[in-house]
Amino acid sequence: MASAFNLKKENGIATLTFDLAGEKVNKLSAPVLIELDALLDDLAKQTDIKLLVIQSAKKGIFIAGADIEEIKDLRAIPDAEAKVKRGQDVLGKIEKLPYPSIAVINGACMGGGTELVLCCTYRAAIDTPKTLIALPEVNLGIFPGFGGTQRLPKLIGLVQALTIITSGKTVNALKAEKIGLVDTAIPEGYIDEQLPQFISNIVAGKVKRKDRSSTIERVGLGRAYIYKKTREQVLKGTKGHYPAPEKAVDVIEKTYRVTSLETGLKIEREEFAKLAVTDLSKNLIQVFFTSEALKKDTGVSGKVELKEIKNAALLGAGVMGGGIAWAFTNKDISIRMKDVDWDAIGVGYKHVAEVWQALKKIGKIRDTEIDNKMNKLSGTLDFSGFDNADIVVEAIVENMDVKHKVLAETETHIESDAILASNTSSLSITKLSAPLKRPEKFIGMHFFNPVNRMPLVEVIPGEKTDDATIASTFALAKKLGKTPIKVGDCAGFLVNRILLPYMNEAVLMLEENASIEKIDKVMYKFGLPMGPFTLADEVGIDVCYKVAKILKDAYGDRVKLSELLRVIYEDKKLLGKKAKKGFYIHNGKEKTLNTEISGTGTNDLPDQEIIDRCILIMVNEAAMCLQEGIIEKPEYLDMAMIMGTGFPPFRGGLCRYADAVGIPHVVARLTEFESKYGVRFKPAKLLTEMAKSGGKFYK
Ligand code: NAI
């Protein structure tokens, strides 16, 4: 039995404080609902109460939502329906109290929490950065099931409600007040005066609420138009892969201004239950849990003293250097860029400024703030100021000899406890550290391009890197707003090692006269953000070829480097989008097939063959990374691929996908491809073992 609530009564005002024992956040778990149910039954009988106040004792959190652990295990539709009905029934009792109720939202109010406050008669939000209100269920492959689809449109109007429910986005206190989601937003410093005043206004019947419905939604045809537009908007984002927001629109269309609340709730829970039991929802829930686990991961097992990063320096202000410099300015950390000439430094400055300007265009930052951010940036051609740096990030040309020379020299200009990190995408961290006097302070910190958009940072310790350096690099990556994942020091590290065989395989199919456009289309339909040829053009064919070559050199016969890829890069010198010509000819946003290399395209490979060759070659490499200990667990590997390559979250990641299609099937298919196409498809030991023992990546 949960001990979750305290109830106090004073002068006819009852105050119910949610303070779930032993937890940092309040959750509407099954035991909590039992306690709340009994309390509400009791409260309903009390005749000396004029008003009920519901608040939270947790700092920065009102209610985090329903307990996702409980949703995770739901597999049968009737169980899911019963579970959600329980929530609807209990929260509905707040609405039925014989006196008004008010929720005082001081902190995050998510999912079921928002549905609870919708059952209150009034809502006050305390205006702090922590007060964010949302119905983020669609991110988990479901939609609000505790009455959210029923009560929100009535309160704030159809268009706003559809936006909040289908996007899952948060609303702050001021916006919530503006759209009518709360009746008042109270500045934090004025709670003591304004809250009692608001409460006495309610008791005196002085708080009025205006009708937020629009004229257009009051007629059936108008609503039909709104639903159509919303569906179009939703499809733009989901590409048809995520059914939950569309289902939410269906439910609202069937119920809003059409049915009674009771019937509406029934329809809501029936549709909710169908989604809650799907693999897709389970995959998204797993992704959520893994990202929560990664937030807590420090990169090391014990406790170590962290080096705080106040000042940074950077070697190389090119494509990656510019992006990395922006990431530091974004978090107001000074960063000093060193390059070979002032023109190169200028390129770095321009890159950082361009990202800020793009953010200004969408209203994310103002000019004065940009000035402050740009002031964090400085440039140098020598090592002046490097003695002040807590970390130096190296992002110069990908060449072992050049990096050796530059890193060794840099080490003589920095403090002995400063961290030296390399953004190399392929060179061994242990080998790079060979000429260093302090290899324990040297580490791989691999950002992804474009740095301002890609959330992943692979952190690669060398053989001698110490724990303090690992943990400090993890902490820094998090401070920069990134998700660090620790990976082993092997060719390609994790993401590139897995991704490149896929791109190479696509070019091998092209060598067999398969169609570029068809392969791109099939893989896009599978859920990848773009097909392999479009991706190669985006990344740069030079980058792809060089990494593929490094993998070939490291893994030998296991990699069959496409001869065509070599020809395209070395002989034809095609670079991809940056030079307007690659597998496609690029003209602004338009692209057409480059017939110079597209071949006949007459080999009409079946869709499934394309998917299996592309995806299973990655699954195989993923299994090898796990068996070699390059990454700690399948959950982390899947997140790295989702964040580093845009692998579709609804599929849960590569390992999760392999589990879903069945490991024996994966092995059978790889074996078939091995005999047809060669040793690169030889199933990894881990896969064959799992197939034999009935094992899976996810336990
Ligand atoms: P880039 O060619 O755009 O920039 C390299 C910069 O380093 C140039 O400005 C160059 O003038 C400068 N430089 C060369 N020698 C130098 C020296 N001795 N001292 C200071 N600056 C020097 O290269 P890019 O693409 O930014 O790559 C840099 C590093 O990042 C490489 O190790 C690469 O493998 C890695 N990387 C690249 C990614 C990409 O998508 N381009 C992704 C992730 C990592």
Side-chain angles (χ1 to χ4, degrees):
M1 185 71 195
S3 164
F5 297 95
N6 307 312
L7 182 65
K8 276 202 187 117
K9 273 199 299 187
E10 216 174 78
N11 305 327
I13 309 281
T15 303
L16 188 61
T17 305
F18 195 174
D19 190 8
L20 185 56
E23 296 271 351
K24 273 198 195 138
V25 301
N26 291 325
K27 281 182 266 182
L28 294 170
S29 61
V32 167
L33 285 175
I34 292 174
E35 192 178 331
L36 182 60
D37 192 31
L39 273 164
L40 289 167
D41 283 345
D42 188 38
L43 278 163
K45 287 182 221 138
Q46 302 190 25
T47 49
D48 57 341
I49 298 177
K50 286 186 279 190
L51 177 90
L52 171 70
V53 178
I54 300 180
Q55 63 180 26
S56 155
K58 305 288 186 203
K59 230 177 150 4
I61 294 270
F62 179 70
I63 300 174
D67 191 345
I68 299 168
E69 281 287 352
E70 292 175 8
I71 304 171
K72 183 182 125 210
D73 297 328
L74 290 172
R75 282 286 173 191
I77 290 178
D79 292 348
E81 214 180 308
K83 177 130 218 121
V84 86
K85 182 170 189 308
R86 175 89 184 127
Q88 289 182 343
D89 289 348
V90 175
L91 299 191
K93 289 186 181 179
I94 301 175
E95 201 173 45
K96 292 188 191 116
L97 286 172
Y99 39 81
S101 55
I102 169 175
V104 179
I105 308 164
N106 192 356
C109 176
M110 299 287 138
T114 301
E115 294 176 288
L116 181 145
V117 307
L118 288 172
C119 292
C120 295
T121 332
Y122 300 95
R123 285 148 293 275
I126 309 305
D127 181 17
T128 76
K130 291 261 163 93
T131 299
L132 294 168
I133 306 173
L135 288 167
E137 286 85 347
V138 289
N139 297 327
L140 302 178
I142 47 180
F143 59 71
F146 289 176
T149 66
Q150 301 305 299
R151 295 186 178 96
L152 191 63
K154 286 179 197 153
L155 182 68
I156 64 172
L158 187 56
V159 174
Q160 291 288 1
L162 284 169
T163 307
I164 288 181
I165 291 172
T166 59
S167 73
K169 285 196 181 136
T170 54
V171 169
N172 64 21
L174 292 179
K175 174 93 191 277
E177 183 186 49
K178 192 167 162 225
I179 62 175
L181 177 51
V182 299
D183 298 283
T184 181
I186 301 175
E188 199 176 13
Y190 293 87
I191 301 178
D192 292 346
E193 297 95 69
Q194 292 191 9
L195 188 59
Q197 184 60 52
F198 184 65
I199 290 174
S200 56
N201 286 350
I202 292 173
V203 176
K206 282 201 242 162
V207 176
K208 297 274 174 281
R209 187 177 298 137
K210 64 175 180 198
D211 182 359
R212 299 276 174 169
S213 64
S214 57
T215 326
I216 168 170
E217 76 184 69
R218 288 183 210 139
V219 286
L221 269 179
R223 288 199 296 280
Y225 176 77
I226 294 172
Y227 295 129
K228 181 171 167 278
K229 284 284 155 205
T230 308
R231 285 200 179 89
E232 282 168 16
Q233 191 63 29
V234 163
L235 264 176
K236 252 195 222 162
T238 65
K239 315 262 186 317
H241 291 307
Y242 298 82
E246 277 183 80
K247 289 280 176 218
V249 180
D250 292 349
V251 167
I252 296 173
E253 181 167 29
K254 267 189 225 159
T255 55
Y256 180 56
R257 290 183 175 246
V258 180
T259 62
S260 65
L261 176 65
E262 201 186 326
T263 312
L265 287 172
K266 184 166 181 287
I267 294 174
E268 180 189 75
R269 65 177 176 261
E270 282 169 359
E271 294 303 321
F272 173 94
K274 286 183 207 160
L275 287 175
V277 300
T278 58
D279 283 346
L280 188 144
S281 171
K282 306 297 167 206
N283 287 344
L284 292 176
I285 288 174
Q286 178 60 53
V287 168
F288 172 77
F289 280 132
T290 310
S291 65
E292 291 297 297
L294 281 168
K295 277 183 202 156
K296 292 186 196 125
D297 190 356
T298 59
V300 294
S301 44
K303 265 208 155 60
V304 288
E305 201 172 322
L306 296 180
K307 171 142 190 73
E308 200 193 336
I309 310 294
K310 289 190 228 116
N311 295 297
L314 177 77
L315 297 161
V319 173
M320 291 307 286
I324 294 166
W326 174 84
F328 280 84
T329 65
N330 184 33
K331 297 295 168 183
D332 302 310
I333 305 171
S334 306
I335 181 146
R336 192 155 173 80
M337 304 184 287
K338 177 183 183 313
D339 209 302
V340 291
D341 55 40
W342 286 109
D343 285 348
I345 303 269
V347 170
Y349 265 98
K350 190 162 165 262
H351 184 142
V352 179
E354 277 172 2
V355 177
W356 284 124
Q357 287 307 321
L359 290 169
K360 188 184 127 185
K361 246 191 185 163
I362 53 169
K364 293 257 159 143
I365 190 159
R366 284 190 293 261
D367 273 328
T368 45
E369 293 165 293
I370 295 181
D371 287 348
N372 289 337
K373 302 282 187 192
M374 289 302 290
N375 281 339
K376 297 287 168 198
L377 209 56
S378 62
T380 177
L381 299 185
D382 55 27
F383 286 98
S384 66
F386 270 53
D387 54 350
N388 204 17
D390 302 303
I391 188 168
V392 178
V393 182
E394 172 275 309
I396 64 166
V397 282
E398 188 76 340
N399 177 300
M400 183 69 86
D401 294 339
V402 178
K403 284 200 200 263
H404 268 164
K405 197 172 147 284
V406 171
L407 289 169
E409 193 185 355
T410 305
E411 201 184 33
T412 64
H413 293 277
I414 59 177
E415 289 293 325
S416 59
D417 65 343
I419 297 172
L420 190 50
S422 175
N423 181 52
T424 177
S425 49
S426 56
L427 301 172
S428 158
I429 297 303
T430 300
K431 284 187 193 150
L432 274 176
S433 74
L436 298 181
K437 294 209 170 61
R438 297 187 295 273
E440 69 280 6
K441 296 280 155 226
F442 182 65
I443 193 159
M445 190 177 191
H446 182 211
F447 291 85
F448 287 74
N449 188 19
V451 179
N452 58 311
R453 288 219 306 269
M454 299 297 280
L456 179 65
V457 171
E458 287 181 332
V459 174
I460 311 116
E463 254 166 34
K464 295 189 179 149
T465 311
D466 65 22
D467 276 4
T469 303
I470 299 172
S472 303
T473 308
F474 254 66
L476 170 65
K478 287 183 195 170
K479 195 168 169 187
L480 296 178
K482 305 291 176 197
T483 302
I485 297 187
K486 188 165 76 173
V487 305
D489 187 15
C490 63
F493 307 133
L494 182 85
V495 170
N496 284 340
R497 174 173 166 181
I498 296 174
L499 185 69
L500 254 296
Y502 149 71
M503 291 158 93
N504 184 58
E505 192 61 30
V507 191
L508 288 171
M509 285 190 245
L510 175 61
E511 283 183 18
E512 298 161 22
N513 268 323
S515 149
I516 289 181
E517 282 171 312
K518 174 162 182 185
I519 294 172
D520 266 0
K521 219 180 270 167
V522 168
M523 296 319 293
Y524 177 73
K525 227 172 114 195
F526 177 83
L528 292 167
M530 59 188 88
F533 296 103
T534 308
L535 179 64
D537 273 6
E538 288 285 335
V539 172
I541 293 176
D542 49 338
V543 177
C544 294
Y545 178 72
K546 282 182 199 161
V547 180
K549 179 106 183 21
I550 285 163
L551 297 183
K552 169 80 195 159
D553 293 345
Y555 303 115
D557 286 348
R558 266 207 321 99
V559 178
K560 184 183 173 192
L561 185 55
S562 157
E563 170 60 11
L564 181 59
L565 188 61
R566 188 198 64 73
V567 169
I568 294 169
Y569 170 63
E570 282 186 351
D571 301 349
K572 296 190 186 284
K573 312 229 177 308
L574 298 180
L575 297 181
K577 198 172 176 186
K578 59 189 164 193
K580 298 201 162 88
K581 213 171 177 190
F583 293 100
Y584 295 92
I585 311 271
H586 299 267
N587 188 1
K589 279 192 177 157
E590 302 288 304
K591 68 178 196 301
T592 49
L593 202 58
N594 182 1
T595 47
E596 199 186 329
I597 50 173
S598 60
T600 62
T602 45
N603 181 3
D604 191 20
L605 290 174
D607 291 9
Q608 198 55 50
E609 177 103 356
I610 294 173
I611 293 171
D612 286 352
R613 279 177 71 175
C614 284
I615 299 295
L616 299 188
I617 200 154
M618 289 200 276
V619 168
N620 207 28
E621 201 62 45
M624 285 186 221
C625 288
L626 281 163
Q627 80 195 22
E628 288 169 26
I630 296 303
I631 184 131
E632 196 185 319
K633 44 186 159 186
E635 288 87 337
Y636 286 5
L637 188 150
D638 279 347
M639 274 311 276
M641 293 307 287
I642 289 170
M643 290 190 296
T645 74
F647 193 87
F650 72 90
R651 296 203 183 270
L654 273 177
C655 299
R656 190 106 178 153
Y657 173 76
D659 280 351
V661 296
I663 302 296
H665 174 75
V666 170
V667 171
R669 204 66 175 135
L670 285 169
T671 310
E672 185 190 329
F673 288 154
E674 185 190 358
S675 59
K676 219 160 148 187
Y677 302 111
V679 69
R680 67 182 183 279
F681 282 106
K682 187 172 190 287
K685 200 164 142 241
L686 179 65
L687 283 172
T688 47
E689 279 172 7
M690 285 196 297
K692 262 188 223 140
S693 66
K696 283 176 153 202
F697 283 113
Y698 282 74
K699 302 291 171 263

